[in-house]
Amino acid sequence: ATRGAQMRIENDSVGQGVRRWLCGESREATARGIKRVLSQVNAILDLAMSQPRSAQHHDILVRINDELENTLRGLENLRTTYEDDFTMAAMLTVHIENTTSRRAAVQAHLASGVSSE
């Protein structure tokens, strides 16, 4: 479900399709929600990596790196869910590749050292 500020995983249940339809949920809405969240994550990453280095900066980037790992697992799970929908699967593959690249950039940034401020 992608309505509201957060995305959430809904449990399979009787009437799930009707409930999703009534709430305006669709694959297109899911795709837009994923894109929106990842755009926000990328903006936060850009800001975090542009900040002066400090121990706090390092800790924040370590946490972001860990959350990107969780994000990748979630995107892989979604790709499995939508494996029969070639458009969604392709979109998720692109997001996985981009997120993998962003995570590598965070890891390289972390490996380049921290100044002691």
Side-chain angles (χ1 to χ4, degrees), residues 5-23:
Q6 296 180 346
M7 296 183 74
R8 59 198 176 285
I9 304 297
E10 292 184 337
N11 295 325
D12 287 335
S13 64
V14 175
Q16 179 184 23
V18 172
R19 186 176 59 252
R20 287 179 51 83
W21 177 76
L22 288 171
C23 292

Side-chain angles (χ1 to χ4, degrees), residues 23 26 29-30 33 38 45 50 60 66-67 75 91 95 97-100 107 114 116:
C23 292
S26 65
T30 299
L38 291 176
L45 274 174
S50 70
I60 289 168
D66 292 345
E67 291 304 325
L75 290 170
M91 182 264 314
H95 287 316
E97 290 170 357
N98 290 340
T99 303
T100 299
Q107 290 171 336
V114 176
S116 55

